[in-house]
Amino acid sequence: MRRIFLRFYLTVVICFLVSSLLIGALYKHMIERTNEHYLADIFQTTISIVESELGDLPQSLWHDEISRLRAKLPVPVQIEAIDAYTLNPTNKQALADGDIILLEDQGIYLHRIPDAELMVALGPVPYLERIDNLSWPDWIALFLMCAALGLPTWLWLRPFWRDLLVLIKQSRRFGAGDFGTRISLDEDSPLGPLGATFNRMAHDVEELSSSRQAMIDAISHDVRTPLARLRYRLEALKAGAPNEVQVAGIERDLNAIDQLIEEWLTLRRLEHQRYAMEMQPLEIVPWLERQLSELATGGEPITLNDITPVKAPWLEADSYYLSRALGNLVSNARRYGKGRVDVTLDWRDGWVRILVDDDGPGIPLTARARLLQPFERLEGSRNVATGGYGLGLTIAGMVMHGHGGELRIDDAPGGGARVILTWPSPLKDVNKLV
């Protein structure tokens, strides 16, 4: 606090002194210019009076006459010899020409009396003392003004320093691993925006840390299960179990591990802030038919309903990641439903909507936001029968975010779950492009 106060205080004082000197110099210059002609007129008049009074008298009486006039004149006046003062060549010439000259260092005006080796000397005049010659009262006044600046400086820095100490203390706690640390400052605090930024950062880091920990726990669990089965199948093979059955089981477990790694890598790519979707024109209905045909292999056919306002819609999307999102939603619908899956394509007011409905028990309203987080599942415990890794909705939501849209969970008309993919895109008719 002491160092900050001194730095700020000295900065204020130096700026004050510099500005005072500049203003004083400007003011002095203006005053000197204003009064220069005024004083010259006064001295010209005085010299004229003196010379007129002396004109009719012999030079022997001039000193006596000057003594008599001195009490009536506004400035001191003397009769001096022409060489009484050491003058530079310019002033000598001006004096010889009959001009009035000013000796600034002495505050004296000189004028030569015509037809005489004498001159009139007016001064010294106290008013003509240099303005920049500061006296001791001036120095005392400057000192008191500089000291007075310390009070507002301290009053301003005190709350600033108090809030800064709070920031330092909480940042140290945060650096020690307490990610729940938050900063509470007054609304009018000058460090309020910095505290709000710190709190947002702490919130993001806390969520990121929790997400990473949940990811580590979930991956370790999901990998441990197929690894345990692999170890069991290897032991069965050593014991003489049928090779065909165990090899098929080993392949399923390896595929499960490979699928988990692929899902996790996709999640990591989509989490990258600089990742951008490759939006390209897509003839959406034939593309959806191919995707749903592949996803329906070995199960009940998937119904596609096109309710867009054109016969052959052409939209913009990243076909690779859109297929990943659609595949995850259909897989979830089959896993948790009774087998029937309906997909609807719609376009309204510049927004595409793909609705995936199932005939399962639906998703409770309180669980919908949670299911969009990585490794979250609907069931209370990990259900081996349903499978999955809790990444499907998360990846689909990130794909929509990359498209500039969103993923929403709703209720299907038949009582099951409805998941809606929506993103902005222009709509064109393929038939009109040909």
Side-chain angles (χ1 to χ4, degrees):
M1 174 64 179
R2 184 180 302 172
R3 179 184 298 179
I4 294 179
F5 173 79
L6 289 176
R7 288 181 178 178
F8 188 80
Y9 174 71
L10 290 176
T11 301
V12 172
V13 169
I14 291 173
C15 292
F16 168 75
L17 291 176
V18 171
S19 61
S20 299
L21 292 176
L22 290 177
I23 294 173
L26 179 62
Y27 178 77
K28 176 183 70 66
H29 180 70
M30 293 175 60
I31 292 297
E32 286 182 348
R33 290 188 60 184
T34 302
N35 291 326
E36 182 177 353
H37 299 292
Y38 175 72
L39 293 174
D41 292 340
I42 291 177
F43 293 134
Q44 178 68 48
T45 302
T46 303
I47 290 174
S48 298
I49 294 173
V50 171
E51 292 180 350
S52 63
E53 292 291 334
L54 300 180
D56 297 334
L57 297 175
Q59 292 187 7
S60 60
L61 300 178
W62 283 3
H63 288 283
D64 295 335
E65 183 64 16
I66 288 297
S67 299
R68 184 182 67 81
L69 292 174
R70 189 177 294 119
K72 300 179 181 181
L73 297 175
V75 293
V77 59
Q78 299 287 343
I79 298 296
E80 303 285 356
I82 197 71
D83 57 353
Y85 296 93
T86 303
L87 303 176
N88 57 43
T90 302
N91 284 340
K92 286 183 178 181
Q93 184 61 42
L95 190 64
D97 294 338
D99 296 333
I100 298 175
I101 64 172
L102 170 64
L103 303 181
E104 295 185 0
D105 57 338
Q106 302 179 46
I108 296 176
Y109 278 85
L110 301 177
H111 183 262
R112 181 178 179 179
I113 300 175
D115 303 325
E117 293 300 316
L118 299 174
M119 59 182 177
V120 178
L122 300 179
V125 182
Y127 181 79
L128 298 178
E129 294 182 358
R130 301 289 294 175
I131 297 177
D132 53 357
N133 293 331
L134 297 178
S135 61
W136 65 267
D138 299 326
W139 288 108
I140 293 178
L142 281 175
F143 174 78
L144 292 177
M145 285 188 287
C146 292
L149 291 174
L151 180 60
T153 302
W154 181 81
L155 291 176
W156 188 88
L157 280 179
R158 185 173 181 273
F160 178 85
W161 177 252
R162 180 192 59 207
D163 295 342
L164 187 60
L165 288 179
V166 174
L167 281 170
I168 294 174
K169 179 181 177 181
Q170 297 301 84
S171 62
R172 287 176 178 173
R173 290 182 57 187
F174 185 81
D178 185 3
F179 298 141
T181 299
R182 297 295 184 270
I183 292 176
S184 178
L185 300 177
D186 296 336
E187 293 183 357
D188 57 348
S189 171
L191 296 180
L194 180 59
T197 302
F198 178 92
N199 289 339
R200 288 194 297 269
M201 179 197 68
H203 174 74
D204 294 341
V205 172
E206 185 179 22
E207 283 195 346
L208 182 62
S209 177
S210 300
S211 175
R212 293 295 178 269
Q213 187 60 45
M215 183 179 298
I216 293 172
D217 295 341
I219 290 177
S220 62
H221 181 280
D222 290 328
V223 170
R224 188 182 296 114
T225 300
L227 286 177
R229 290 199 299 265
L230 284 172
R231 188 174 292 108
Y232 169 79
R233 298 183 193 283
L234 288 175
E235 294 297 329
L237 286 174
K238 292 178 182 179
N243 292 345
E244 294 79 5
V245 176
Q246 301 304 324
V247 169
I250 289 174
E251 290 179 350
R252 287 195 300 271
D253 293 334
L254 291 175
N255 288 335
I257 295 175
D258 183 67
Q259 182 182 2
L260 173 61
I261 294 174
E262 179 64 24
E263 292 285 295
W264 184 75
L265 291 176
T266 300
L267 179 67
R268 294 296 299 146
R269 285 195 298 269
L270 292 174
E271 282 182 334
H272 203 288
Q273 294 182 354
R274 290 180 296 177
Y275 181 81
M277 298 289 172
E278 296 182 3
M279 305 295 287
Q280 296 179 351
L282 180 64
E283 192 175 354
I284 191 67
V285 173
W287 182 85
L288 282 174
E289 290 174 346
R290 291 193 300 270
Q291 297 294 321
L292 298 180
S293 176
E294 295 176 0
L295 293 171
T297 302
E300 185 177 342
I302 301 174
T303 304
L304 173 62
N305 301 309
D306 177 16
I307 59 174
T308 57
V310 297
K311 294 183 178 180
W314 189 294
L315 303 170
E316 291 184 356
D318 187 315
S319 59
Y320 172 76
Y321 280 104
L322 184 59
S323 68
R324 295 296 304 271
L326 181 64
N328 288 340
L329 298 188
V330 172
S331 176
N332 285 345
R334 285 191 178 280
R335 181 178 299 114
Y336 297 104
K338 299 176 182 178
R340 180 177 178 178
V341 179
D342 295 326
V343 176
T344 303
L345 173 65
D346 190 12
W347 184 90
R348 295 180 185 177
D349 301 325
W351 289 82
V352 186
R353 294 200 311 159
I354 295 180
L355 297 77
V356 180
D357 298 338
D358 63 48
D359 56 353
I363 300 176
L365 184 62
T366 56
R368 292 174 184 176
R370 177 176 60 85
L371 291 178
L372 297 180
Q373 301 300 319
F375 301 102
E376 291 289 344
R377 301 181 185 180
L378 185 60
E379 58 271 19
S381 60
R382 298 182 185 275
N383 193 333
V384 179
T386 59
Y389 306 105
L391 294 176
L393 289 177
T394 303
I395 291 176
M398 288 185 173
V399 170
M400 286 297 98
H401 181 72
H403 280 70
E406 63 175 356
L407 180 147
R408 293 188 292 109
I409 301 175
D410 207 340
D411 296 321
R418 165 175 284 183
V419 182
I420 305 173
L421 303 177
T422 177
W423 73 95
S425 171
L427 176 67
K428 298 180 181 179
D429 192 341
V430 177
N431 296 329
K432 294 183 179 180
L433 297 176
V434 178

mmCIF file of all heavy atoms in Angstrom, residues 293-329:
data_model
loop_
_atom_site.group_PDB
_atom_site.id
_atom_site.type_symbol
_atom_site.label_atom_id
_atom_site.label_comp_id
_atom_site.label_asym_id
_atom_site.label_seq_id
_atom_site.Cartn_x
_atom_site.Cartn_y
_atom_site.Cartn_z
ATOM 1 N N SER A 293 -31.246 -45.638 -43.404
ATOM 2 C CA SER A 293 -31.209 -47.025 -43.888
ATOM 3 C C SER A 293 -30.049 -47.791 -43.250
ATOM 4 O O SER A 293 -30.203 -48.951 -42.851
ATOM 5 C CB SER A 293 -31.083 -47.039 -45.419
ATOM 6 O OG SER A 293 -30.954 -48.364 -45.904
ATOM 7 N N GLU A 294 -28.893 -47.142 -43.154
ATOM 8 C CA GLU A 294 -27.756 -47.798 -42.518
ATOM 9 C C GLU A 294 -27.991 -47.988 -41.016
ATOM 10 O O GLU A 294 -27.629 -49.018 -40.441
ATOM 11 C CB GLU A 294 -26.491 -46.966 -42.742
ATOM 12 C CG GLU A 294 -26.075 -46.880 -44.208
ATOM 13 C CD GLU A 294 -24.869 -45.971 -44.393
ATOM 14 O OE1 GLU A 294 -24.390 -45.421 -43.374
ATOM 15 O OE2 GLU A 294 -24.428 -45.794 -45.540
ATOM 16 N N LEU A 295 -28.618 -47.015 -40.372
ATOM 17 C CA LEU A 295 -28.858 -47.106 -38.925
ATOM 18 C C LEU A 295 -29.937 -48.133 -38.592
ATOM 19 O O LEU A 295 -29.973 -48.648 -37.466
ATOM 20 C CB LEU A 295 -29.285 -45.724 -38.378
ATOM 21 C CG LEU A 295 -28.209 -44.635 -38.411
ATOM 22 C CD1 LEU A 295 -28.806 -43.283 -38.047
ATOM 23 C CD2 LEU A 295 -27.068 -44.972 -37.454
ATOM 24 N N ALA A 296 -30.819 -48.454 -39.548
ATOM 25 C CA ALA A 296 -31.899 -49.403 -39.297
ATOM 26 C C ALA A 296 -31.502 -50.842 -39.580
ATOM 27 O O ALA A 296 -32.338 -51.741 -39.459
ATOM 28 C CB ALA A 296 -33.123 -49.034 -40.142
ATOM 29 N N THR A 297 -30.261 -51.070 -39.972
ATOM 30 C CA THR A 297 -29.815 -52.431 -40.293
ATOM 31 C C THR A 297 -30.002 -53.352 -39.092
ATOM 32 O O THR A 297 -29.519 -53.072 -37.994
ATOM 33 C CB THR A 297 -28.335 -52.420 -40.702
ATOM 34 O OG1 THR A 297 -28.162 -51.565 -41.820
ATOM 35 C CG2 THR A 297 -27.881 -53.823 -41.059
ATOM 36 N N GLY A 298 -30.738 -54.446 -39.321
ATOM 37 C CA GLY A 298 -30.953 -55.412 -38.253
ATOM 38 C C GLY A 298 -32.075 -55.051 -37.312
ATOM 39 O O GLY A 298 -32.273 -55.723 -36.295
ATOM 40 N N GLY A 299 -32.845 -54.001 -37.616
ATOM 41 C CA GLY A 299 -33.935 -53.583 -36.733
ATOM 42 C C GLY A 299 -35.120 -53.102 -37.533
ATOM 43 O O GLY A 299 -35.188 -53.225 -38.771
ATOM 44 N N GLU A 300 -36.086 -52.560 -36.846
ATOM 45 C CA GLU A 300 -37.292 -52.049 -37.493
ATOM 46 C C GLU A 300 -36.943 -50.823 -38.323
ATOM 47 O O GLU A 300 -36.148 -49.986 -37.898
ATOM 48 C CB GLU A 300 -38.319 -51.681 -36.417
ATOM 49 C CG GLU A 300 -39.653 -51.243 -36.976
ATOM 50 C CD GLU A 300 -40.661 -50.961 -35.877
ATOM 51 O OE1 GLU A 300 -40.441 -51.430 -34.749
ATOM 52 O OE2 GLU A 300 -41.664 -50.275 -36.151
ATOM 53 N N PRO A 301 -37.510 -50.684 -39.540
ATOM 54 C CA PRO A 301 -37.219 -49.531 -40.385
ATOM 55 C C PRO A 301 -37.567 -48.221 -39.685
ATOM 56 O O PRO A 301 -38.489 -48.146 -38.876
ATOM 57 C CB PRO A 301 -38.102 -49.761 -41.628
ATOM 58 C CG PRO A 301 -38.357 -51.236 -41.636
ATOM 59 C CD PRO A 301 -38.401 -51.659 -40.197
ATOM 60 N N ILE A 302 -36.803 -47.193 -40.031
ATOM 61 C CA ILE A 302 -37.002 -45.871 -39.434
ATOM 62 C C ILE A 302 -37.797 -45.012 -40.410
ATOM 63 O O ILE A 302 -37.469 -44.916 -41.592
ATOM 64 C CB ILE A 302 -35.649 -45.212 -39.118
ATOM 65 C CG1 ILE A 302 -34.843 -46.087 -38.156
ATOM 66 C CG2 ILE A 302 -35.853 -43.820 -38.515
ATOM 67 C CD1 ILE A 302 -33.436 -45.589 -37.911
ATOM 68 N N THR A 303 -38.860 -44.399 -39.911
ATOM 69 C CA THR A 303 -39.737 -43.579 -40.739
ATOM 70 C C THR A 303 -39.169 -42.168 -40.869
ATOM 71 O O THR A 303 -38.758 -41.551 -39.887
ATOM 72 C CB THR A 303 -41.142 -43.501 -40.130
ATOM 73 O OG1 THR A 303 -41.649 -44.831 -39.957
ATOM 74 C CG2 THR A 303 -42.084 -42.708 -41.019
ATOM 75 N N LEU A 304 -39.156 -41.642 -42.115
ATOM 76 C CA LEU A 304 -38.712 -40.282 -42.373
ATOM 77 C C LEU A 304 -39.883 -39.472 -42.901
ATOM 78 O O LEU A 304 -40.517 -39.850 -43.897
ATOM 79 C CB LEU A 304 -37.559 -40.263 -43.392
ATOM 80 C CG LEU A 304 -37.113 -38.873 -43.863
ATOM 81 C CD1 LEU A 304 -36.589 -38.037 -42.703
ATOM 82 C CD2 LEU A 304 -36.048 -38.992 -44.958
ATOM 83 N N ASN A 305 -40.173 -38.354 -42.262
ATOM 84 C CA ASN A 305 -41.248 -37.456 -42.680
ATOM 85 C C ASN A 305 -40.651 -36.116 -43.095
ATOM 86 O O ASN A 305 -39.998 -35.458 -42.287
ATOM 87 C CB ASN A 305 -42.241 -37.237 -41.535
ATOM 88 C CG ASN A 305 -42.849 -38.535 -41.056
ATOM 89 O OD1 ASN A 305 -43.355 -39.318 -41.852
ATOM 90 N ND2 ASN A 305 -42.787 -38.778 -39.752
ATOM 91 N N ASP A 306 -40.863 -35.730 -44.352
ATOM 92 C CA ASP A 306 -40.366 -34.448 -44.852
ATOM 93 C C ASP A 306 -41.539 -33.479 -44.922
ATOM 94 O O ASP A 306 -42.442 -33.638 -45.739
ATOM 95 C CB ASP A 306 -39.746 -34.644 -46.241
ATOM 96 C CG ASP A 306 -39.272 -33.331 -46.850
ATOM 97 O OD1 ASP A 306 -39.143 -32.334 -46.088
ATOM 98 O OD2 ASP A 306 -39.049 -33.293 -48.081
ATOM 99 N N ILE A 307 -41.523 -32.457 -44.062
ATOM 100 C CA ILE A 307 -42.590 -31.457 -44.063
ATOM 101 C C ILE A 307 -42.060 -30.067 -44.412
ATOM 102 O O ILE A 307 -42.637 -29.049 -44.035
ATOM 103 C CB ILE A 307 -43.313 -31.425 -42.696
ATOM 104 C CG1 ILE A 307 -42.324 -31.107 -41.565
ATOM 105 C CG2 ILE A 307 -44.023 -32.735 -42.419
ATOM 106 C CD1 ILE A 307 -42.998 -30.917 -40.213
ATOM 107 N N THR A 308 -40.932 -30.038 -45.121
ATOM 108 C CA THR A 308 -40.398 -28.755 -45.573
ATOM 109 C C THR A 308 -41.299 -28.193 -46.673
ATOM 110 O O THR A 308 -42.013 -28.949 -47.349
ATOM 111 C CB THR A 308 -38.961 -28.912 -46.102
ATOM 112 O OG1 THR A 308 -38.957 -29.893 -47.161
ATOM 113 C CG2 THR A 308 -38.029 -29.372 -44.995
ATOM 114 N N PRO A 309 -41.278 -26.893 -46.926
ATOM 115 C CA PRO A 309 -42.189 -26.280 -47.911
ATOM 116 C C PRO A 309 -41.786 -26.492 -49.371
ATOM 117 O O PRO A 309 -42.442 -25.949 -50.253
ATOM 118 C CB PRO A 309 -42.152 -24.789 -47.541
ATOM 119 C CG PRO A 309 -40.833 -24.590 -46.884
ATOM 120 C CD PRO A 309 -40.550 -25.869 -46.153
ATOM 121 N N VAL A 310 -40.694 -27.255 -49.637
ATOM 122 C CA VAL A 310 -40.290 -27.522 -51.024
ATOM 123 C C VAL A 310 -40.219 -29.025 -51.236
ATOM 124 O O VAL A 310 -40.129 -29.808 -50.284
ATOM 125 C CB VAL A 310 -38.925 -26.864 -51.343
ATOM 126 C CG1 VAL A 310 -39.012 -25.357 -51.224
ATOM 127 C CG2 VAL A 310 -37.832 -27.401 -50.434
ATOM 128 N N LYS A 311 -40.240 -29.448 -52.494
ATOM 129 C CA LYS A 311 -40.258 -30.883 -52.795
ATOM 130 C C LYS A 311 -38.882 -31.525 -52.629
ATOM 131 O O LYS A 311 -38.790 -32.689 -52.215
ATOM 132 C CB LYS A 311 -40.772 -31.103 -54.219
ATOM 133 C CG LYS A 311 -42.236 -30.710 -54.406
ATOM 134 C CD LYS A 311 -42.695 -31.023 -55.820
ATOM 135 C CE LYS A 311 -44.172 -30.673 -55.995
ATOM 136 N NZ LYS A 311 -44.651 -30.966 -57.377
ATOM 137 N N ALA A 312 -37.841 -30.816 -52.987
ATOM 138 C CA ALA A 312 -36.482 -31.374 -52.908
ATOM 139 C C ALA A 312 -35.594 -30.370 -52.170
ATOM 140 O O ALA A 312 -34.872 -29.587 -52.793
ATOM 141 C CB ALA A 312 -35.934 -31.673 -54.301
ATOM 142 N N PRO A 313 -35.616 -30.361 -50.844
ATOM 143 C CA PRO A 313 -34.878 -29.336 -50.080
ATOM 144 C C PRO A 313 -33.365 -29.498 -50.167
ATOM 145 O O PRO A 313 -32.842 -30.612 -50.152
ATOM 146 C CB PRO A 313 -35.377 -29.542 -48.647
ATOM 147 C CG PRO A 313 -35.830 -30.956 -48.600
ATOM 148 C CD PRO A 313 -36.361 -31.281 -49.952
ATOM 149 N N TRP A 314 -32.733 -28.371 -50.271
ATOM 150 C CA TRP A 314 -31.266 -28.286 -50.303
ATOM 151 C C TRP A 314 -30.866 -27.348 -49.153
ATOM 152 O O TRP A 314 -31.198 -26.177 -49.140
ATOM 153 C CB TRP A 314 -30.825 -27.722 -51.645
ATOM 154 C CG TRP A 314 -29.349 -27.790 -51.899
ATOM 155 C CD1 TRP A 314 -28.385 -27.115 -51.230
ATOM 156 C CD2 TRP A 314 -28.666 -28.553 -52.884
ATOM 157 N NE1 TRP A 314 -27.150 -27.399 -51.727
ATOM 158 C CE2 TRP A 314 -27.283 -28.296 -52.749
ATOM 159 C CE3 TRP A 314 -29.088 -29.431 -53.878
ATOM 160 C CZ2 TRP A 314 -26.332 -28.869 -53.567
ATOM 161 C CZ3 TRP A 314 -28.129 -30.011 -54.697
ATOM 162 C CH2 TRP A 314 -26.769 -29.745 -54.540
ATOM 163 N N LEU A 315 -30.080 -27.879 -48.202
ATOM 164 C CA LEU A 315 -29.712 -27.134 -47.000
ATOM 165 C C LEU A 315 -28.202 -27.076 -46.854
ATOM 166 O O LEU A 315 -27.472 -27.766 -47.590
ATOM 167 C CB LEU A 315 -30.330 -27.782 -45.750
ATOM 168 C CG LEU A 315 -31.851 -27.942 -45.759
ATOM 169 C CD1 LEU A 315 -32.293 -28.799 -44.584
ATOM 170 C CD2 LEU A 315 -32.520 -26.580 -45.698
ATOM 171 N N GLU A 316 -27.723 -26.292 -45.882
ATOM 172 C CA GLU A 316 -26.292 -26.198 -45.579
ATOM 173 C C GLU A 316 -26.008 -26.860 -44.239
ATOM 174 O O GLU A 316 -26.684 -26.575 -43.248
ATOM 175 C CB GLU A 316 -25.842 -24.726 -45.539
ATOM 176 C CG GLU A 316 -25.868 -24.050 -46.891
ATOM 177 C CD GLU A 316 -25.322 -22.639 -46.836
ATOM 178 O OE1 GLU A 316 -25.009 -22.182 -45.719
ATOM 179 O OE2 GLU A 316 -25.204 -22.000 -47.901
ATOM 180 N N ALA A 317 -24.988 -27.742 -44.233
ATOM 181 C CA ALA A 317 -24.631 -28.453 -43.004
ATOM 182 C C ALA A 317 -23.270 -29.113 -43.187
ATOM 183 O O ALA A 317 -22.757 -29.227 -44.307
ATOM 184 C CB ALA A 317 -25.680 -29.497 -42.650
ATOM 185 N N ASP A 318 -22.679 -29.542 -42.075
ATOM 186 C CA ASP A 318 -21.480 -30.376 -42.100
ATOM 187 C C ASP A 318 -21.955 -31.820 -42.071
ATOM 188 O O ASP A 318 -22.383 -32.336 -41.032
ATOM 189 C CB ASP A 318 -20.597 -30.072 -40.879
ATOM 190 C CG ASP A 318 -19.248 -30.784 -40.939
ATOM 191 O OD1 ASP A 318 -19.234 -31.990 -41.270
ATOM 192 O OD2 ASP A 318 -18.231 -30.151 -40.656
ATOM 193 N N SER A 319 -21.915 -32.470 -43.217
ATOM 194 C CA SER A 319 -22.532 -33.798 -43.334
ATOM 195 C C SER A 319 -21.886 -34.831 -42.420
ATOM 196 O O SER A 319 -22.576 -35.714 -41.883
ATOM 197 C CB SER A 319 -22.463 -34.274 -44.785
ATOM 198 O OG SER A 319 -21.106 -34.342 -45.230
ATOM 199 N N TYR A 320 -20.560 -34.728 -42.187
ATOM 200 C CA TYR A 320 -19.892 -35.741 -41.358
ATOM 201 C C TYR A 320 -20.373 -35.652 -39.910
ATOM 202 O O TYR A 320 -20.821 -36.653 -39.326
ATOM 203 C CB TYR A 320 -18.377 -35.547 -41.424
ATOM 204 C CG TYR A 320 -17.632 -36.428 -40.443
ATOM 205 C CD1 TYR A 320 -17.465 -37.793 -40.687
ATOM 206 C CD2 TYR A 320 -17.115 -35.908 -39.260
ATOM 207 C CE1 TYR A 320 -16.793 -38.605 -39.785
ATOM 208 C CE2 TYR A 320 -16.454 -36.720 -38.350
ATOM 209 C CZ TYR A 320 -16.288 -38.065 -38.617
ATOM 210 O OH TYR A 320 -15.640 -38.875 -37.716
ATOM 211 N N TYR A 321 -20.309 -34.464 -39.334
ATOM 212 C CA TYR A 321 -20.688 -34.346 -37.930
ATOM 213 C C TYR A 321 -22.201 -34.404 -37.741
ATOM 214 O O TYR A 321 -22.684 -34.833 -36.694
ATOM 215 C CB TYR A 321 -20.121 -33.055 -37.337
ATOM 216 C CG TYR A 321 -18.668 -33.202 -36.980
ATOM 217 C CD1 TYR A 321 -17.683 -32.642 -37.779
ATOM 218 C CD2 TYR A 321 -18.275 -33.936 -35.860
ATOM 219 C CE1 TYR A 321 -16.333 -32.792 -37.457
ATOM 220 C CE2 TYR A 321 -16.942 -34.090 -35.541
ATOM 221 C CZ TYR A 321 -15.974 -33.524 -36.340
ATOM 222 O OH TYR A 321 -14.650 -33.690 -36.030
ATOM 223 N N LEU A 322 -22.960 -33.979 -38.754
ATOM 224 C CA LEU A 322 -24.409 -34.151 -38.658
ATOM 225 C C LEU A 322 -24.783 -35.629 -38.628
ATOM 226 O O LEU A 322 -25.706 -36.034 -37.905
ATOM 227 C CB LEU A 322 -25.094 -33.444 -39.823
ATOM 228 C CG LEU A 322 -26.630 -33.456 -39.803
ATOM 229 C CD1 LEU A 322 -27.156 -32.784 -38.537
ATOM 230 C CD2 LEU A 322 -27.195 -32.773 -41.047
ATOM 231 N N SER A 323 -24.053 -36.451 -39.394
ATOM 232 C CA SER A 323 -24.310 -37.905 -39.355
ATOM 233 C C SER A 323 -23.960 -38.488 -37.990
ATOM 234 O O SER A 323 -24.650 -39.396 -37.497
ATOM 235 C CB SER A 323 -23.519 -38.609 -40.460
ATOM 236 O OG SER A 323 -22.113 -38.537 -40.195
ATOM 237 N N ARG A 324 -22.903 -37.966 -37.350
ATOM 238 C CA ARG A 324 -22.553 -38.432 -36.004
ATOM 239 C C ARG A 324 -23.661 -38.088 -35.009
ATOM 240 O O ARG A 324 -24.048 -38.903 -34.168
ATOM 241 C CB ARG A 324 -21.238 -37.809 -35.539
ATOM 242 C CG ARG A 324 -20.021 -38.229 -36.341
ATOM 243 C CD ARG A 324 -19.748 -39.727 -36.210
ATOM 244 N NE ARG A 324 -19.585 -40.140 -34.845
ATOM 245 C CZ ARG A 324 -18.432 -40.160 -34.187
ATOM 246 N NH1 ARG A 324 -17.344 -39.774 -34.798
ATOM 247 N NH2 ARG A 324 -18.373 -40.591 -32.939
ATOM 248 N N ALA A 325 -24.167 -36.842 -35.119
ATOM 249 C CA ALA A 325 -25.227 -36.433 -34.209
ATOM 250 C C ALA A 325 -26.488 -37.256 -34.434
ATOM 251 O O ALA A 325 -27.112 -37.743 -33.471
ATOM 252 C CB ALA A 325 -25.525 -34.940 -34.399
ATOM 253 N N LEU A 326 -26.881 -37.428 -35.690
ATOM 254 C CA LEU A 326 -28.084 -38.207 -35.992
ATOM 255 C C LEU A 326 -27.927 -39.656 -35.560
ATOM 256 O O LEU A 326 -28.856 -40.263 -34.996
ATOM 257 C CB LEU A 326 -28.381 -38.121 -37.489
ATOM 258 C CG LEU A 326 -29.632 -38.856 -37.973
ATOM 259 C CD1 LEU A 326 -30.872 -38.237 -37.344
ATOM 260 C CD2 LEU A 326 -29.715 -38.822 -39.499
ATOM 261 N N GLY A 327 -26.754 -40.248 -35.805
ATOM 262 C CA GLY A 327 -26.519 -41.634 -35.401
ATOM 263 C C GLY A 327 -26.621 -41.809 -33.888
ATOM 264 O O GLY A 327 -27.190 -42.799 -33.402
ATOM 265 N N ASN A 328 -26.097 -40.841 -33.113
ATOM 266 C CA ASN A 328 -26.191 -40.936 -31.651
ATOM 267 C C ASN A 328 -27.641 -40.857 -31.183
ATOM 268 O O ASN A 328 -28.049 -41.592 -30.272
ATOM 269 C CB ASN A 328 -25.374 -39.815 -31.002
ATOM 270 C CG ASN A 328 -23.882 -40.038 -31.130
ATOM 271 O OD1 ASN A 328 -23.427 -41.159 -31.361
ATOM 272 N ND2 ASN A 328 -23.109 -38.978 -30.981
ATOM 273 N N LEU A 329 -28.436 -39.980 -31.794
ATOM 274 C CA LEU A 329 -29.832 -39.842 -31.375
ATOM 275 C C LEU A 329 -30.644 -41.089 -31.722
ATOM 276 O O LEU A 329 -31.458 -41.553 -30.912
ATOM 277 C CB LEU A 329 -30.457 -38.605 -32.036
ATOM 278 C CG LEU A 329 -29.823 -37.258 -31.692
ATOM 279 C CD1 LEU A 329 -30.680 -36.126 -32.253
ATOM 280 C CD2 LEU A 329 -29.652 -37.088 -30.194
#
